[in-house]
Amino acid sequence: MAQPKYRTHVGMVDILPGEVEKWQAVERIIHEEAKKFNFEEIRTPILEQTELIARGIGQLTDIVSKEMFAFERGDDQYVLRPECTAPVVRAFVGHHLEQRGGTQNLYYIGPMFRAEKPQKGRQRQFHQFGAEILGSDDPIADVECMAFMISVYDRVGISNMSLKINSVGDPESREAYKQALIDYFTPHKDELSEVSQNRLEKNPLRILDSKEEEDQPFIEDAPVIGDFLNEESSQHYAKVKQYLNELGISYEEDPHLVRGLDYYTRTAFELISPDLGAQDALAGGGRYDLLVEEVGGQPTPAVGFAAGIERLLLACKEMDIELSEPKSVDLYIVTIGDKARSWAIQQLPEFRKKGFSATMDYAGRSIKSQMKDADRENARYTIIVGENELNEGKFTFRDMEASEENQLPLDEIYGRLKKKL
Ligand code: AMP
């Protein structure tokens, strides 16, 4: 075959018919579970101000240029959103959503963009669903977030996964911990990966996230934040574990699980699938009590998670989970001649109004090809209509599954469709 003239960018994929039905099934489950947990959907633009996203990351320009799709237009700096927490917080602050009262339980589904090196489970355009609870520092909020997240995987049928949790404490305990990490890693600096060497001074917590082989032995023996937590953070963490136990949600404590950015506080969690290979994180989340203020709002405690839909689908594939039915249509009208074609065009909307899916041949093909097409479209029934049928007011109604045919008037056809579908 000839090379196509145009292609998608590297790391960006088309989701084609046959695959898209799986997405629809997952999205339906997310919406349904969100409703059960009383989360409301929020939709924010794909483009954000670069400053919102880059804020607080430190090494601002470096991260933006290496890891994000960013561009300028006039005086404005745009970035394709790499995640949705900051955009949701921006919307929360900008629209004063706190004035609606109570906690704001929000969820989203949509594409995110990161200029990473593509590999299995890692794309440049990928999709996340996620949720944020703004306005509560109660450990119940943390656990509700995790429960909502897990409920989606449970509904999909993914059972092989593990929830890892940790507490990253408050800013003071983190400062002490950071120093301890710097003291610990510095003597081994030359043996660490290049990325980790760069992170050592600025953000040593992120070394713990490293997947680089050469970092692993040092990470294993690194100090753990649990030893640096103050009383309040310890109690909060104890409550999170207590509620998880009470809900029967199993988890493993991972003392090295940290979220690298400074606005994260207390609870951190990750959902891992052993079926995914190197990119094994299905979802991650945690508490970020300092972010709302950083984005310009009143201090507001908050917790949330983000989950990758591609990875959820990969896990389904590994586990042979069928998410959607093969395509089908209730009725296919096979036509012989022009009069029959006009009749069919007029009848299609009537069938559709009554709730049936219905189609016909659009290409003026022979009866044989139309019957083949009906098969390919997985039609449950066909009506075969030509001039004789129109004159007599009786049509050939074929049950494709049973291979049975009857000559029936239209009202009887409707009756049968209603009974059988
Ligand atoms: P993060 O926002 O980095 O915590 O990511 C949350 C989840 O989004 C991860 O656990 C993955 O499931 C998914 N994810 C993150 N980055 C990518 C990517 N580049 N390609 C596909 N999925 C991703």
Side-chain angles (χ1 to χ4, degrees):
M1 265 191 283
Q3 283 291 319
K5 190 167 169 190
Y6 301 109
R7 50 166 183 76
T8 57
H9 280 298
V10 169
M12 303 194 177
V13 300
D14 298 313
I15 304 168
L16 301 175
E19 183 69 14
V20 90
E21 292 76 8
K22 297 176 191 162
W23 285 76
Q24 290 167 343
V26 171
E27 286 162 11
R28 199 188 61 242
I29 289 173
I30 296 165
H31 291 303
E32 285 172 6
E33 290 306 305
K35 185 125 194 84
K36 290 188 204 160
F37 280 82
N38 195 32
F39 279 73
E40 293 174 284
E41 188 180 359
I42 181 164
R43 301 184 187 194
T44 62
I46 304 290
L47 291 176
E48 290 285 350
Q49 285 180 291
T50 303
E51 220 183 296
L52 168 74
I53 304 295
R55 166 223 82 251
I57 292 181
Q59 303 160 300
L60 188 145
T61 44
D62 195 39
I63 292 214
V64 170
S65 61
K66 281 204 193 124
E67 295 177 18
M68 291 179 205
F69 292 100
F71 60 94
E72 276 179 16
R73 244 178 111 85
D75 290 337
D76 293 319
Q77 313 258 344
Y78 296 82
V79 66
L80 285 158
R81 62 182 190 191
E83 54 102 28
C84 213
T85 301
V88 169
V89 169
R90 175 197 51 66
F92 171 83
V93 172
H95 297 281
H96 299 287
L97 293 185
E98 75 286 352
Q99 288 178 3
R100 305 195 316 158
T103 61
Q104 303 304 309
N105 306 353
L106 305 171
Y107 79 102
Y108 58 83
I109 306 179
M112 308 295 156
F113 303 83
R114 297 183 192 173
E116 302 178 297
K117 194 159 171 241
Q119 62 183 87
K120 186 180 171 209
R122 202 203 265 170
Q123 293 174 192
R124 291 185 160 182
Q125 174 174 342
F126 61 100
H127 298 75
Q128 288 185 334
F129 70 95
E132 321 289 350
I133 298 181
L134 295 129
S136 166
D137 67 356
D138 196 304
I140 288 180
D142 308 45
V143 172
E144 279 283 272
C145 263
M146 293 187 232
F148 169 30
M149 173 181 83
I150 288 170
S151 76
V152 172
Y153 294 89
D154 281 346
R155 274 280 304 279
V156 166
I158 295 174
S159 48
N160 201 10
M161 57 184 184
S162 65
L163 175 67
K164 304 222 159 142
I165 62 166
N166 193 19
S167 174
V168 299
D170 61 8
E172 290 92 76
S173 23
R174 279 158 68 97
E175 274 317 305
Y177 181 52
K178 265 188 192 171
Q179 195 50 54
L181 285 178
I182 293 175
D183 294 344
Y184 166 79
F185 281 120
T186 303
H188 307 292
K189 186 168 177 186
D190 295 343
E191 296 155 89
L192 295 175
S193 68
E194 202 187 317
V195 204
S196 293
Q197 289 189 18
N198 290 335
R199 286 173 173 168
L200 184 55
E201 296 296 324
K202 284 244 153 63
N203 201 344
L205 283 167
R206 291 199 65 196
I207 299 181
L208 303 176
D209 281 341
S210 162
K211 303 266 188 262
E212 305 294 328
E213 193 88 31
E214 61 261 53
D215 295 335
Q216 299 313 314
F218 301 109
I219 292 175
E220 236 161 70
D221 297 333
V224 294
I225 190 147
D227 295 336
F228 294 81
L229 294 186
N230 62 17
E231 187 55 26
E232 221 185 334
S233 293
S234 297
Q235 276 180 13
H236 191 275
Y237 187 41
K239 277 273 180 208
V240 167
K241 289 187 280 187
Q242 179 196 324
Y243 293 141
L244 286 172
N245 290 334
E246 285 169 6
L247 285 176
I249 297 178
S250 46
Y251 59 87
E252 283 167 44
E253 289 186 69
D254 178 350
H256 282 143
L257 173 65
V258 291
R259 313 227 87 207
L261 303 180
D262 278 343
Y263 56 78
Y264 285 113
T265 47
R266 303 193 261 197
T267 317
F269 56 92
E270 214 167 46
L271 196 63
I272 303 291
S273 161
D275 297 323
L276 286 183
Q279 302 298 318
D280 61 355
L282 287 167
R287 183 161 273 290
Y288 52 91
D289 292 338
L290 304 175
L291 181 62
V292 179
E293 200 178 356
E294 209 178 288
V295 170
Q298 293 301 313
T300 307
V303 58
F305 74 86
I309 300 184
E310 280 82 0
R311 292 204 194 158
L312 181 155
L313 291 170
L314 270 176
C316 287
K317 201 166 151 203
E318 293 298 328
M319 296 182 72
D320 285 325
I321 296 170
E322 284 294 335
L323 277 166
S324 57
E325 305 279 303
K327 73 166 176 176
S328 68
V329 64
D330 297 333
L331 183 68
Y332 189 108
I333 307 182
V334 173
T335 58
I336 310 156
D338 282 348
K339 275 198 186 136
R341 279 172 73 76
S342 337
W343 179 87
I345 288 168
Q346 286 164 39
Q347 291 306 315
L348 284 177
E350 300 305 319
F351 284 109
R352 292 168 183 157
K353 266 186 231 160
K354 295 210 160 61
F356 306 111
S357 57
T359 190
M360 65 182 284
D361 164 52
Y362 299 149
R365 283 175 281 200
S366 67
I367 309 182
K368 203 172 146 200
S369 316
Q370 290 186 51
M371 288 307 291
K372 250 198 203 156
D373 199 31
D375 251 346
R376 190 171 38 233
E377 295 300 322
N378 210 0
R380 181 68 185 85
Y381 297 97
T382 49
I383 295 179
I384 302 162
V385 51
E387 207 146 330
N388 284 349
E389 282 84 355
L390 287 175
N391 291 339
E392 283 170 29
K394 277 189 170 179
F395 307 88
T396 309
F397 181 67
R398 185 174 170 82
D399 181 332
M400 302 287 278
E401 229 171 74
S403 289
E404 253 175 42
E405 261 179 31
N406 287 291
Q407 298 295 121
L408 301 173
L410 207 48
D411 54 347
E412 251 184 71
I413 289 181
Y414 275 114
R416 292 222 180 171
L417 281 174
K418 237 180 242 152
K419 236 189 273 162
K420 297 210 168 166
L421 290 173

